[in-house]
Amino acid sequence: MKSLINKFKILSLLITSLLVLSFSTIGQAQQFRALVISKTSGFRHQSIPEGVAAIKKLAKKHRFAVYTTEDAGLVNDKNLEKYDVIIMMSTTGTIFNAEEKAAFERFVKSGKGVVGVHSATDTEYDWPWYTKLIGGQFNHHPHQQTARIKVMNGDHPSTYHLNDKWLWTDEWYEFGPDKINDLKTLITVNEESYDAEVVWK
């Protein structure tokens, strides 16, 4: 009888542990779900795997779900219902067909988000809606170098922790030919603080 009671105690403890684990997993899934797209049809950055790995690391640290793909066919109404944000990870060129573009637009217009990383502005040049969404079209960039940065809006969640002015080494994009005027700028680069000579288009 004592052995049976001990078995019930162990079983009860196991069930309790599983329930705690289940609720913990549910809690993590309630953050948000991100779809990372890294498809390219133009220049392909060697840093894409590292970028995808960085997003996965952030997802683990901050408890959000992430799914990564090169399959643009997943950009459809049914599949996008599962996600709260699309992350364009250094995409280039024309990567969506007409149906996928329409689903992408409906996703954004429903109130969900898009994050463009690096060459997301070197993507879909013949899709004006996307160009306005992403903020411009990549034109060229000089060699990587250090420049002066100024935070224009320190109240935003992505900038509140930054100093007002600082130095940063990066690949500074020049955009054009058309300027989009209704952007909300968070950070600017001082164009006089680096050599803007064109070395790559």
Side-chain angles (χ1 to χ4, degrees), residues 125-143:
Y125 284 87
D126 297 323
W127 186 10
W129 182 90
Y130 175 84
T131 297
K132 185 173 183 180
L133 171 78
I134 212 69
Q137 289 184 348
F138 168 76
N139 191 324
H140 63 269
H141 68 72
H143 63 278

Side-chain angles (χ1 to χ4, degrees), residues 35-39 67 69-81 83 86-88 91 95-108 114 124 127 129:
L35 175 64
V36 179
I37 300 173
S38 54
K39 181 178 179 180
Y67 183 82
T69 186
E70 302 256 333
D71 182 6
L74 294 180
V75 179
N76 59 70
D77 292 330
K78 184 177 181 180
N79 187 57
L80 291 181
E81 287 179 358
Y83 299 102
I86 295 172
I87 301 175
M88 304 288 281
T91 53
I95 60 173
F96 299 123
N97 63 30
E99 291 77 14
E100 292 157 358
K101 288 178 181 179
F104 193 106
E105 287 192 28
R106 286 190 291 270
F107 176 86
V108 173
V114 174
E124 297 293 349
W127 186 10
W129 182 90

Side-chain angles (χ1 to χ4, degrees), residues 94-192:
T94 300
I95 60 173
F96 299 123
N97 63 30
E99 291 77 14
E100 292 157 358
K101 288 178 181 179
F104 193 106
E105 287 192 28
R106 286 190 291 270
F107 176 86
V108 173
K109 290 174 180 177
S110 73
K112 296 184 177 183
V114 174
V115 175
V117 178
H118 197 54
S119 59
T121 54
D122 190 22
T123 305
E124 297 293 349
Y125 284 87
D126 297 323
W127 186 10
W129 182 90
Y130 175 84
T131 297
K132 185 173 183 180
L133 171 78
I134 212 69
Q137 289 184 348
F138 168 76
N139 191 324
H140 63 269
H141 68 72
H143 63 278
Q144 293 187 18
Q145 54 196 296
T146 302
R148 292 197 299 271
I149 302 296
K150 182 178 180 181
V151 174
M152 304 301 291
N153 181 353
D155 295 327
H156 194 273
S158 64
T159 57
Y160 76 93
H161 62 293
L162 300 174
N163 294 326
D164 290 341
K165 295 180 182 179
W166 36 290
L167 296 175
W168 190 258
T169 302
D170 215 319
E171 188 176 82
W172 305 109
Y173 274 22
E174 299 285 334
F175 299 97
D178 299 322
K179 183 179 180 182
I180 298 175
N181 295 315
D182 56 347
L183 296 176
K184 294 181 179 179
T185 303
L186 301 179
I187 301 175
T188 60
V189 58
N190 185 332
E191 295 182 348
E192 296 181 356

